[in-house]
Amino acid sequence: MGLGKKKEIQAQGETPALREVERFYPGAERGLTSAQAAELAANGYANTAVVSNAKTTGQIIRENTLTFFNLVFVVLAVLLVVAGQYKDMFFLVIALINSAIGIVQQLRSRATLEKLNLLAEGRVKVVRDGRLGTVAPHNMVREEVVELCAGDQIPADGPVLVGQVTVNEALITGEADPITKNPGDELLSGSFVVSGRCRARMDRVGAESYASRLALEAKADRGAVKSSMMKSLDRLIKVVGFALIPIGTALFCNEYIVLQHGFSASVSSMVGALIGMIPEGLYLLTSVALAVSVARLAGKKTLVHEMSAIETLARVDVLCVDKTGTITQPEMTVREVVPLDETRWDAGEIEEILNCYYSAADADNDTAKAMANRFNGPAKWRADKVIPFTSATKWSAVIFRDAGAFAVGAPEFILGSERGAVDAIAAPYREEGCRTLLLGRCSGIPGVGGLNGDVEPVALVVLDNPIRPEAKDTFAYFARQGVAIKVISGDIPETVSRVAQQAGIEGAERYIDAGYLKEGVDYAQAVRDYTVFGRVTPDQKQKLVKAIQREGHTVAMTGDGVNDVLALKDADCGIAMASGAEAACQVAELVLLNSDFSALPSVVEEGRRVINNIQRSAALYLVKNIMALFLALITAFAGFPYPFAPIQMTLISALTIGIPSFVLALEPNHELVRGSFMRNVLRRALPGGLSNIVLIVGIELFTVAFTFEKTTLTTLATAVMGFVGLLVLYYVSRPLDWKRWTLLGTMSAAMLISIVFLGAYFDLTRLDFQSWLVIVVFLLLAPSVIHVFELLFERCWHLVDEWFARRSKRKRRQIS
């Protein structure tokens, strides 16, 4: 976002509070008093979120009852009342049951998520009454003095009081370069701390903060975030909605004016056709299935920030992971200190230097914590200045008043091209998968811009970072599922490669130092050729994710550190560990609350299960809708009577679509989802829908040829469409297990009983011998007709897939 836009947002008027409260301007040491904080909170100056993803009970009820199709159902019911066809109104009962199920399931899912959000909510370090404590972000008040360090998300806006921090504002301004903030400089909510420590006063909270105003603007501009699947369903509903009125009018005119069937019969036929065209349960089924999936993931201690992430999970075919905290355990231990010149620096002196160093430096990452835990002895020197570690520089430095400056970090970043001798000593440790840090004495005075001068190698510190016990099984699962793994780490590529090989990651021997990647073409080629990327900076992680996406892949990114934030944001699905940096958890779509990477397979399986089953169930709905749409057009303009009454469409919908779809939606299905939602659904639905058209038009022609009664036509059409619906259910249920056989058998038995023994209730007539011959012929023809359409569409889709593949290949070549 440009600076002009930034100033415009900041210039907007303040949100009115309950009562004006004077400003207290607390200092960094004392902060607000408890009484002042309570007064501010009571008068509306708390850091309350202005945009919530949670729906109110009223919104949930309205979204499940006041829908376009429910309005259509009410209008159709009124017409049936006027026509005196009360029995045909049974579809209203189905609509009410669908709405009730949707309301109950979404209320239950909301309750589960609310509990989980309380567990996942971060804490802000605040100074009150001169003491440092923590509060929930929404309990922070205006002018709160907060303490911030690396990895913290800045909760509101205000000036730095003491200390110095480097922040990244890319999430709110688009400016990727870290910015150093000194006392007096403004911090913006939504940005995050990369390094350093400070105390700041939060002068603008809640609706006044920069991030809140951005969120309000974004919500006004964009609305709710929807997955491609929900967008496809929205488009389908709009198309059907526009078609209902003209087709309904044409059908009524055909029945009432052309065929002269009378008002009551004409209304019944028109309503039957329109009900068949409406995918009344599809949108509800999709919404409920997604809501239930979010609740199931919550039960597995996985917090879903965006419901669209469920669909993305099902399509993930590349998973990007870091080494530390994902492949290995987050905790490190110092294994050994290797002096590099014992004539100059013996073991005792090195120990003292490191004790002094880590008494001054902040332990703001896992490596620094391991060093601080090991080197915690008394410090004999006083530090004048600390240059904090950043993922971009790969080193930190401390300037001592009486002993000069020392730096600790990656040997290649400290020594550059002169690291040959040190690399030779470090190589055996790296082969074992250990991390090595260099302690060096600086001849110049280090600064944010660099070390400034020569560096004398003093010692190597070797750290152990053991592999997670469950890592091998987890990566083996992804290999079986066809998900490629890319390891993207800031560590030395040889070390990362060795650790990845020990974890059983396929292709882990193919590694590259990201320092050699310069241009876009380098990244495009690298993501094709390599599995392991070492010495990656935060902006390079982001570039690698984008390069993989340009290759046509759906990318999930796991991360727990502040250096992962930009890549998590740009990945198709960002997955954060709750134990990591707060900023990472805020931008990710999913948060693993137990920080357990081995839970990821079950999370991916849940995404695949729900999307695969929704696609399968959607195909059942669209078979009926395709048939009803085309049959309505044919009968309206060919002068045929419409063969179905509403009660018969309700029977067919319930036994071949409604009940099976909800049962199938709960089935396990862990296949990778490929292709667009609507294309996949149409691929399954069109053969059945068009088979219905061919067979029912054939029955219409027989009716004309043999002068069958309208009731005979209706009975023949209901039996054939019911049989085709069961055949489609058989096709979409494959592979069949005992549960699916039971479902198919139960629905078939219910259909047979309804037609043969309960026919009078469904306005079906008893058939004579001639009619039975017709129905037997069409039932025997049905499997062959469906099979022909299956083969035809399989060939057509294959040609379309080949065309898309060639087009994508050409695009990738052009990008490269």
Side-chain angles (χ1 to χ4, degrees):
M1 176 176 291
L3 293 176
K5 182 70 170 175
K6 179 172 160 183
K7 289 177 181 175
E8 176 190 324
I9 292 172
Q10 288 178 326
Q12 292 177 11
E14 295 185 353
T15 302
L18 296 177
R19 185 173 69 85
E20 187 66 29
V21 178
E22 66 177 8
R23 288 189 176 270
F24 300 110
Y25 300 103
E29 293 301 319
R30 291 288 303 168
L32 293 170
T33 66
S34 297
Q36 289 169 339
E39 182 184 1
L40 287 165
N43 286 282
Y45 290 97
N47 191 41
T48 307
V50 296
V51 177
S52 173
N53 289 328
K55 295 176 182 176
T56 65
T57 301
Q59 284 176 315
I60 290 173
I61 293 173
R62 284 195 299 273
E63 287 180 5
N64 284 278
T65 54
L66 304 181
T67 66
F68 172 74
F69 286 137
N70 280 351
L71 173 63
V72 172
F73 285 147
V74 170
V75 172
L76 295 180
V78 170
L79 291 175
L80 288 173
V81 169
V82 173
Q85 299 288 338
Y86 304 111
K87 188 167 62 175
D88 286 339
M89 293 171 58
F90 188 72
F91 63 85
L92 274 183
V93 177
I94 303 298
L96 289 172
I97 292 172
N98 281 344
S99 295
I101 290 171
I103 291 167
V104 171
Q105 285 291 2
Q106 289 185 26
L107 288 173
R108 289 177 61 188
S109 296
R110 188 189 65 180
T112 303
L113 282 177
E114 284 174 349
K115 292 178 184 176
L116 205 60
N117 273 313
L118 286 175
L119 292 174
E121 189 174 40
R123 307 287 291 179
V124 179
K125 294 189 283 289
V126 301
V127 180
R128 288 184 184 176
D129 300 314
R131 294 189 297 272
L132 186 65
T134 64
V135 297
H138 64 271
N139 289 331
M140 195 183 72
V141 296
R142 190 190 71 184
E143 294 188 283
E144 195 83 75
V145 174
V146 301
E147 185 168 292
L148 301 167
C149 59
D152 287 343
Q153 184 118 11
I154 296 170
D157 303 349
V160 175
L161 298 178
V162 295
Q164 182 190 74
V165 288
T166 303
V167 302
N168 189 304
E169 297 181 348
L171 299 180
I172 53 172
T173 67
E175 297 168 8
D177 293 334
I179 303 168
T180 300
K181 300 284 187 175
N182 295 300
D185 292 338
E186 285 287 311
L187 298 175
L188 295 178
S189 54
S191 56
F192 58 92
V193 180
V194 176
S195 63
R197 185 182 295 270
C198 77
R199 286 189 178 182
R201 187 180 66 237
M202 301 288 95
D203 285 347
R204 293 181 299 281
V205 299
E208 296 180 6
S209 70
Y210 185 64
S212 293
R213 296 183 186 190
L214 282 182
L216 285 171
E217 285 195 358
K219 189 169 186 179
D221 292 343
R222 185 182 64 244
V225 176
K226 288 190 175 184
S227 68
S228 61
M229 178 176 65
M230 298 303 288
K231 289 175 183 175
S232 297
L233 289 177
D234 284 343
R235 287 193 293 270
L236 173 67
I237 286 170
K238 286 178 183 176
V239 170
V240 173
F242 283 123
L244 285 176
I245 295 175
I247 291 177
T249 304
L251 277 169
F252 180 79
C253 292
N254 177 62
E255 295 280 338
Y256 187 66
I257 298 173
V258 177
L259 300 176
Q260 298 183 340
H261 280 165
F263 179 77
S264 178
S266 299
V267 168
S268 181
S269 294
M270 179 194 70
V271 172
L274 297 185
I275 286 175
M277 289 170 56
I278 298 172
E280 70 278 3
L282 177 55
Y283 199 89
L284 172 74
L285 172 71
T286 304
S287 301
V288 169
L290 289 174
V292 170
S293 183
V294 169
R296 286 169 67 116
L297 287 172
K300 298 174 182 178
K301 293 294 185 287
T302 300
L303 179 63
V304 180
H305 283 156
E306 294 289 349
M307 197 176 286
S308 58
I310 302 292
E311 181 180 358
T312 308
L313 266 180
R315 300 178 182 278
V316 165
D317 58 354
V318 175
L319 176 64
C320 297
V321 300
D322 193 5
K323 177 179 77 73
T324 307
T326 302
I327 303 176
T328 63
Q329 297 175 9
E331 301 81 14
M332 299 184 194
T333 56
V334 176
R335 167 175 156 180
E336 187 178 348
V337 178
V338 183
L340 298 177
D341 186 354
E342 292 190 89
T343 61
R344 286 268 297 140
W345 311 94
D346 62 31
E349 289 177 298
I350 294 169
E351 185 88 12
E352 288 181 349
I353 294 169
L354 290 169
N355 286 339
C356 295
Y357 193 100
Y358 284 98
S359 69
D362 284 330
D364 52 9
N365 59 59
D366 293 325
T367 306
K369 287 174 185 175
M371 296 288 279
N373 287 337
R374 168 64 178 80
F375 302 108
N376 56 7
K380 64 177 183 178
W381 300 328
R382 181 178 175 182
D384 277 347
K385 187 177 181 182
V386 175
I387 311 297
F389 173 89
T390 70
S391 298
T393 62
K394 308 289 186 188
W395 53 262
S396 62
V398 178
I399 304 167
F400 296 103
R401 178 169 299 177
D402 303 317
F406 289 85
V408 172
E412 62 270 34
F413 280 78
I414 292 178
L415 297 177
S417 60
E418 298 177 0
R419 67 181 188 272
V422 173
D423 276 352
I425 298 170
Y429 298 107
R430 293 171 181 169
E431 282 292 312
E432 297 176 34
C434 296
R435 175 172 289 187
T436 55
L437 296 179
L438 174 70
L439 169 66
R441 171 75 178 272
C442 304
S443 62
I445 303 299
V448 175
L451 290 171
N452 302 324
D454 296 331
V455 178
E456 177 188 356
V458 176
L460 274 179
V461 183
V462 182
L463 295 100
D464 268 333
N465 195 193
I467 292 174
R468 286 181 180 268
E470 67 279 4
K472 273 194 173 184
D473 290 340
T474 304
F475 289 118
Y477 164 82
F478 284 117
R480 290 194 301 272
Q481 295 299 315
V483 177
I485 304 295
K486 300 289 184 183
V487 185
I488 303 176
S489 174
D491 211 339
I492 296 168
E494 294 89 342
T495 301
V496 183
S497 173
R498 177 62 63 182
V499 169
Q501 289 178 60
Q502 292 171 2
I505 295 175
E506 291 185 10
E509 70 282 356
R510 301 194 304 273
Y511 63 85
I512 187 173
D513 188 326
Y516 296 114
L517 301 177
K518 303 298 180 186
E519 304 298 330
V521 64
D522 293 343
Y523 287 91
Q525 191 62 43
V527 296
R528 295 187 204 117
D529 296 343
Y530 298 102
T531 299
V532 173
F533 301 84
R535 286 301 178 216
V536 183
T537 60
D539 67 306
Q540 285 182 313
K541 284 192 177 187
Q542 187 181 27
K543 289 175 181 176
L544 286 168
V545 166
K546 289 181 176 178
I548 297 169
Q549 290 170 327
R550 282 195 294 268
E551 291 293 305
H553 297 289
T554 303
V555 182
M557 171 82 192
T558 66
D560 60 357
V562 70
N563 59 325
D564 299 317
V565 170
L566 299 180
L568 285 170
K569 176 178 172 288
D570 280 354
D572 296 293
C573 184
I575 304 168
M577 307 290 180
S579 61
E582 180 192 357
C585 295
Q586 291 296 323
V587 301
E589 284 84 6
L590 299 172
V591 180
L592 302 181
L593 296 181
N594 287 342
S595 300
D596 183 5
F597 180 67
S598 65
L600 203 52
S602 64
V603 173
V604 172
E605 285 180 351
E606 177 61 27
R608 290 183 177 184
R609 182 194 67 79
V610 69
I611 301 304
N612 276 314
N613 287 338
I614 286 173
Q615 287 189 165
R616 186 161 54 185
S617 300
L620 295 176
Y621 281 95
L622 290 192
V623 166
K624 181 193 74 167
N625 303 140
I626 290 167
M627 183 281 303
L629 175 62
F630 285 102
L631 187 61
L633 292 172
I634 291 170
T635 55
F637 296 105
F640 292 153
Y642 193 80
F644 298 108
I647 189 70
Q648 293 145 10
M649 292 303 297
T650 301
L651 169 68
I652 293 167
S653 296
L655 296 183
T656 66
I657 301 167
I659 296 171
S661 66
F662 273 93
V663 173
L664 291 175
L666 303 175
E667 284 279 282
N669 191 333
H670 303 149
E671 294 178 9
L672 175 65
V673 179
R674 300 181 188 276
S676 70
F677 171 77
M678 192 53 67
R679 188 159 163 260
N680 291 341
V681 171
L682 289 175
R683 191 170 186 167
R684 289 178 169 180
L686 279 170
L690 295 180
S691 297
N692 270 326
I693 295 295
V694 169
L695 294 169
I696 291 172
V697 169
I699 291 173
E700 291 269 11
L701 295 173
F702 264 84
T703 300
V704 172
F706 293 99
T707 61
F708 288 155
E709 295 291 329
K710 172 74 181 293
T711 53
T712 302
L713 166 65
T714 298
T715 304
L716 293 174
T718 301
V720 169
M721 187 176 172
F723 182 67
V724 172
L726 293 170
L727 279 178
V728 173
L729 176 60
Y730 164 78
Y731 283 122
V732 301
S733 298
R734 293 178 298 181
L736 293 165
D737 56 15
W738 69 269
K739 288 181 287 187
R740 294 174 190 173
W741 274 118
T742 302
L743 173 66
L744 189 61
T746 304
M747 295 301 101
S748 300
M751 182 69 73
L752 184 64
I753 291 168
S754 299
I755 292 174
V756 175
F757 299 104
L758 302 175
Y761 178 79
F762 294 104
D763 289 341
L764 303 175
T765 188
R766 297 178 68 86
L767 300 177
D768 56 21
F769 180 73
Q770 189 180 36
S771 301
W772 273 111
L773 287 178
V774 172
I775 202 170
V776 168
V777 169
F778 278 93
L779 291 180
L780 291 174
L781 277 174
S784 299
V785 173
I786 290 182
H787 185 63
V788 168
F789 277 115
E790 284 267 351
L791 293 177
L792 177 63
F793 278 98
E794 192 66 34
R795 179 60 182 161
C796 290
W797 288 118
H798 180 69
L799 293 173
V800 171
D801 287 340
E802 285 184 343
W803 182 81
F804 272 110
R806 287 195 300 270
R807 185 183 173 198
S808 298
K809 200 171 181 179
R810 281 197 303 270
K811 279 187 176 180
R812 286 199 297 271
R813 278 203 301 266
Q814 289 169 0
I815 293 170
S816 300

Coordinates of all heavy atoms in Angstrom, one line a residue, residues 280 416 564 573 606 769 778:
E280 N -31.8 -27.9 -4.2 CA -32.2 -27.3 -3.0 C -31.3 -27.7 -1.8 O -31.0 -27.0 -0.9 CB -33.7 -27.7 -2.6 CG -33.9 -29.2 -2.3 CD -34.0 -30.1 -3.5 OE1 -33.9 -29.5 -4.6 OE2 -34.3 -31.3 -3.4
G416 N 32.6 -15.0 4.9 CA 32.5 -14.9 3.4 C 33.4 -15.9 2.7 O 33.5 -17.1 3.1
D564 N 9.2 -17.1 8.6 CA 8.3 -17.8 7.7 C 7.0 -17.0 7.3 O 6.2 -17.4 6.5 CB 7.8 -19.1 8.4 CG 9.0 -20.0 8.8 OD1 9.8 -20.2 7.9 OD2 9.0 -20.6 9.9
C573 N -2.0 -22.5 1.2 CA -2.5 -22.8 2.6 C -1.3 -22.7 3.6 O -0.4 -23.5 3.5 CB -3.0 -24.2 2.6 SG -3.8 -24.6 4.2
E606 N -8.6 -34.9 6.3 CA -9.9 -34.3 6.6 C -10.3 -33.4 5.4 O -11.5 -33.4 5.0 CB -9.9 -33.6 7.9 CG -11.2 -32.8 8.2 CD -12.4 -33.8 8.4 OE1 -12.2 -35.0 8.7 OE2 -13.5 -33.3 8.1
F769 N -50.1 -55.0 -19.0 CA -49.0 -55.8 -19.5 C -48.2 -55.0 -20.5 O -46.9 -55.1 -20.5 CB -49.6 -57.1 -20.2 CG -48.5 -58.0 -20.8 CD1 -47.7 -58.7 -20.0 CD2 -48.4 -58.0 -22.2 CE1 -46.7 -59.5 -20.6 CE2 -47.4 -58.8 -22.8 CZ -46.6 -59.6 -21.9
F778 N -37.0 -50.2 -21.3 CA -36.2 -49.0 -20.9 C -35.3 -49.2 -19.7 O -34.2 -48.7 -19.7 CB -37.2 -47.8 -20.6 CG -37.7 -47.1 -21.9 CD1 -38.8 -47.5 -22.5 CD2 -36.9 -46.1 -22.4 CE1 -39.3 -46.9 -23.7 CE2 -37.3 -45.5 -23.6 CZ -38.5 -45.9 -24.2

